[in-house]
Amino acid sequence: MAELRSSGGRMEAAAQGGSPLEAGAQTPPGPGPSSLPTLPPKEGHQEGLVELPASFHELFTFFCTNATIHGAIRLVCSSGNRLKTSSWALLFLGALAALCWQLGLLFQHHWLRPVLMAVSVHSERKLLPLVTLCDGNPRRPSTILHHLEVLDKFAQENIHSLYKVNFSKGRDALAAIVSPLDPHFHLDREIRLQRLSHSGSRIRVGFRLCNSTGSDCFYRGYSSGVAAIRDWYRFHYMDILALLPTAWEESHGSHNGRFVLSCSYDGKDCQDRQFQTFHHPTHGSCYTVDGIWTAQRPGITHGIGLVLRVEQQAHLPLLSTQAGIKVMVHGHNHTPFLEHHSFSIRPGTETTISIREDEVHRLGGPYGHCTAGGEGMEVQLLHNASYTRQACLVSCFQQLMVETCSCGYYLYPLPAGAEHCSSARHPAWGHCFYRLYQDLETHRLPCASRCPRPCRESAFKVSAGTSRWPSAKSADWTLAALGEQRLPRQSHGQRSNLAKMNIIYQELNYRSVQEAPLYSVPQLLSAMGSLCSLWFGASVLSLLELLELLLDASALTLLLGGRRLRRAWFSWPRARPASGLSNIKLGVSQMPTPAGPSGPHLPWMVVSAKESRARPLPLET
């Protein structure tokens, strides 16, 4: 039974006893107020289950007097001084507004899911990473030798028209046996080098690409003429390589197995099974040193030592413009992407490469977008290796290339059922490729969002130091000793054809970088408690007191609002009943009713017992 209590006594929220209809049936209405039924006086008050104050003033006074929030009692004890009461009320409301504002900022920052980077240093034995070496000298496959000769002549014509350079005859001698020209071979001579603009001393060079109908054309421009020639030549070179069979494998016979002249690890010679060889279309013959060695100690004597042969006479001089060795350090079972993460070693030098490893652990879920081993990815990896973000980006681009251009780029693996792009089978494929590549450069392709970073990966930081090798005084006997190892005679006395490389761990300590949430649940609760203590000196129980105040105020609002609605409903004028219902007698509307929650002036409805038994009528409450 819910009750309303006042300062002078208590008022019941619901009347007790029989209904007014039953009382009216037993006691007929009289002409005056004395005929009203009177309620028996209460001898004592029995406390109800739920009691509410009779007014909001009493509710607020009770809260401020008994609450544990700092400053609330000042609103009551200073009631005799309006200035103090108003001042403390403004301070109380200002502190409440500041608390709500700072809590809003706290939750806004928490929903952004910020993270902290915790760096720790560990010391233990680590596996040496893989090292991939390429001679930077791509080969001329014998089956397309004549095609490349036609391309070289076309390139010389373009360079001569731009820079008036005359190429000496026989500079790049071809093999004695030249395969006949393929009748299906088509060199797109419409794609030629052009001078696009001339601003001051800088000349912009590029080439024009159009679709199959010629309705959509654009220029691929470069500020560097060397970059323009290399990219233009690479495009035609890939177009020719696409004519090769899928199962074609280029032999490494030009080195005769002597690109690596000597190899040692921790003072012991390497074995042939510790090298993996492959041919890269633009970087030439490549070797991956995969010995699965564990670094015991730091230093040169405990690392990998290599003596390499550098070939200065390039087979494709327009594709390879530098003399040196391409080197890339990468993790185990990872595909080396030399065009993105490699560096060069100068011939005639001894280079010491110091490696330092960092392990990165990222948070997934709401704190960041990362993948554990490529699980649940939209992109299917085309490389038979572990997941890396670069491998995913390459696979995504190749799949979009196949979907958009109906063929794949020769440098990247093909999806099942696809074929490489060539002008013989796919005219104007260059227009489609460079359009798609331009969208990739401007981040308009969805590959960046489809390829998250691994949740756990190892990053290798490399530093290098070089010195002249061999020195002037030791060059003769060093080259002679290497010549006894069947070094070609033309390399004797030519220091520029050799390079020495040492690969070591700088130190066995490695850094572990781990992400941690800035606001975990305990930290969030601690920050909320700090703000509540700062502005109100409140605790969790104090917040529950505020919640109780809101619930009591809501309940009191509903009860007082319901009372006003009932008063308005019963004070509304009623229509006179029909003559057929003469046995239903309405009492005097001005007849006072007993005091109760239904109001002081409620009309009584008197129904005779006989008529009530004959046809019960609905009652209004």
Side-chain angles (χ1 to χ4, degrees), residues 86-413:
S86 302
S87 301
W88 277 103
L90 292 177
L91 290 175
F92 188 86
L93 294 177
L96 180 61
L99 175 63
C100 294
W101 173 61
Q102 291 201 351
L103 285 177
L105 293 179
L106 177 64
F107 280 107
Q108 182 182 6
H109 196 199
H110 170 69
W111 288 328
L112 293 177
R113 306 296 184 182
V115 296
L116 291 174
M117 304 296 291
V119 181
S120 58
V121 180
H122 305 270
S123 179
E124 61 182 35
R125 295 179 179 179
K126 299 288 292 183
L127 285 175
L128 281 172
L130 302 186
V131 180
T132 298
L133 314 167
C134 296
D135 61 359
N137 191 10
R139 303 290 177 262
R140 290 177 177 265
S142 57
T143 55
I144 56 173
L145 201 57
H146 206 139
H147 305 70
L148 295 178
E149 182 185 15
V150 174
L151 175 60
D152 288 344
K153 291 181 179 179
F154 184 51
Q156 293 175 10
E157 294 174 3
N158 282 264
I159 296 175
H160 178 73
S161 63
L162 289 175
Y163 303 105
K164 309 302 179 184
V165 177
N166 294 321
F167 290 85
S168 59
K169 295 183 179 181
R171 181 176 180 179
D172 297 320
L174 301 177
I177 301 176
V178 178
S179 61
L181 189 63
D182 188 356
H184 299 288
F185 171 66
H186 171 69
L187 183 64
D188 194 351
R189 294 181 177 270
E190 297 295 330
I191 304 177
R192 57 186 306 116
L193 290 171
Q194 302 178 29
R195 184 171 297 173
L196 304 181
S197 62
H198 188 285
S199 58
S201 59
R202 301 184 63 181
I203 301 176
R204 190 170 178 83
V205 181
F207 47 94
R208 185 169 177 259
L209 296 159
C210 297
N211 59 357
S212 56
T213 61
S215 58
D216 184 15
C217 299
F218 72 97
Y219 286 91
R220 179 80 176 175
Y222 303 84
S223 58
S224 171
V226 176
I229 294 173
R230 289 186 59 188
D231 199 9
W232 174 85
Y233 190 90
R234 180 198 295 260
F235 166 73
H236 287 288
Y237 179 60
M238 295 299 157
D239 185 69
I240 294 175
L241 288 181
L243 300 175
L244 293 172
T246 306
W248 174 83
E249 294 183 1
E250 177 64 30
S251 65
H252 297 70
S254 59
H255 281 305
N256 294 325
R258 289 194 300 273
F259 171 60
V260 180
L261 299 180
S262 67
C263 173
S264 63
Y265 169 72
D266 201 11
K268 300 178 182 179
D269 293 336
C270 304
Q271 300 179 4
D272 293 339
R273 59 181 177 84
Q274 295 171 340
F275 291 92
Q276 299 177 5
T277 61
F278 64 95
H279 184 80
H280 194 276
T282 58
H283 296 291
S285 301
C286 299
Y287 293 76
T288 299
V289 183
D290 185 8
I292 315 180
W293 294 308
T294 302
Q296 304 290 338
R297 302 179 185 87
I300 295 179
T301 57
H302 302 284
I304 302 175
L306 297 168
V307 177
L308 307 173
R309 176 192 173 198
V310 182
E311 187 174 358
Q312 297 284 353
Q313 296 181 356
H315 294 276
L316 295 171
L318 294 178
L319 193 64
S320 177
T321 58
Q322 62 182 4
I325 300 172
K326 284 285 186 179
V327 181
M328 179 179 173
V329 179
H330 55 93
H332 290 265
N333 201 26
H334 288 176
T335 303
F337 293 96
L338 298 160
E339 57 273 14
H340 298 285
H341 305 291
S342 63
F343 58 95
S344 299
I345 290 180
R346 180 182 176 183
T349 60
E350 179 179 0
T351 304
T352 301
I353 300 175
S354 300
I355 302 173
R356 185 169 184 173
E357 183 177 356
D358 292 340
E359 287 188 358
V360 182
H361 301 264
R362 298 183 178 90
L363 290 175
Y367 297 98
H369 189 33
C370 69
T371 178
E375 298 178 356
M377 297 293 301
E378 300 180 20
V379 180
Q380 181 181 2
L381 292 183
L382 301 178
H383 299 84
N384 188 19
S386 300
Y387 176 86
T388 59
R389 191 166 191 261
Q390 189 62 45
C392 180
L393 291 174
V394 169
S395 301
C396 177
F397 178 80
Q398 184 74 314
Q399 292 174 7
L400 291 176
M401 179 82 180
V402 172
E403 295 174 3
T404 308
C405 309
S406 302
C407 60
Y409 192 50
Y410 185 81
L411 273 182
Y412 307 140

Side-chain angles (χ1 to χ4, degrees), residues 332-551:
H332 290 265
N333 201 26
H334 288 176
T335 303
F337 293 96
L338 298 160
E339 57 273 14
H340 298 285
H341 305 291
S342 63
F343 58 95
S344 299
I345 290 180
R346 180 182 176 183
T349 60
E350 179 179 0
T351 304
T352 301
I353 300 175
S354 300
I355 302 173
R356 185 169 184 173
E357 183 177 356
D358 292 340
E359 287 188 358
V360 182
H361 301 264
R362 298 183 178 90
L363 290 175
Y367 297 98
H369 189 33
C370 69
T371 178
E375 298 178 356
M377 297 293 301
E378 300 180 20
V379 180
Q380 181 181 2
L381 292 183
L382 301 178
H383 299 84
N384 188 19
S386 300
Y387 176 86
T388 59
R389 191 166 191 261
Q390 189 62 45
C392 180
L393 291 174
V394 169
S395 301
C396 177
F397 178 80
Q398 184 74 314
Q399 292 174 7
L400 291 176
M401 179 82 180
V402 172
E403 295 174 3
T404 308
C405 309
S406 302
C407 60
Y409 192 50
Y410 185 81
L411 273 182
Y412 307 140
L414 285 175
E419 60 181 1
H420 289 121
C421 295
S422 66
S423 299
R425 296 186 296 262
H426 308 89
W429 69 270
H431 175 271
C432 179
F433 167 73
Y434 279 107
R435 281 288 193 194
L436 201 64
Y437 191 76
Q438 188 176 8
D439 292 340
L440 180 66
E441 291 177 332
T442 55
H443 305 285
R444 286 184 289 181
L445 292 183
C447 293
S449 59
R450 294 180 182 178
C451 296
R453 296 184 179 275
C455 293
R456 181 175 181 177
E457 66 175 341
S458 295
F460 299 100
K461 293 185 177 180
V462 177
S463 59
T466 60
S467 61
R468 188 176 180 181
W469 183 87
S471 63
K473 295 184 178 181
S474 63
D476 294 337
W477 68 266
T478 302
L479 295 176
L482 292 174
E484 293 179 359
Q485 300 176 11
R486 294 180 297 178
L487 185 69
R489 292 182 178 273
Q490 61 181 2
S491 296
H492 285 282
Q494 297 182 4
R495 185 171 47 244
S496 59
N497 285 352
L498 297 175
K500 186 177 181 181
M501 183 172 60
N502 304 310
I503 304 170
I504 62 172
Y505 260 119
Q506 183 177 356
E507 54 186 14
L508 294 183
N509 296 336
Y510 68 95
R511 296 190 306 174
S512 178
V513 182
Q514 292 185 340
E515 289 184 350
L518 180 61
Y519 287 110
S520 60
V521 174
Q523 292 170 337
L524 179 64
L525 294 177
S526 176
M528 293 172 59
S530 300
L531 291 177
C532 293
S533 299
L534 173 65
W535 293 104
F536 282 101
S539 62
V540 176
L541 297 180
S542 302
L543 297 179
L544 293 179
E545 290 177 355
L546 281 175
L547 180 61
E548 181 188 11
L549 174 65
L550 294 177
L551 294 177

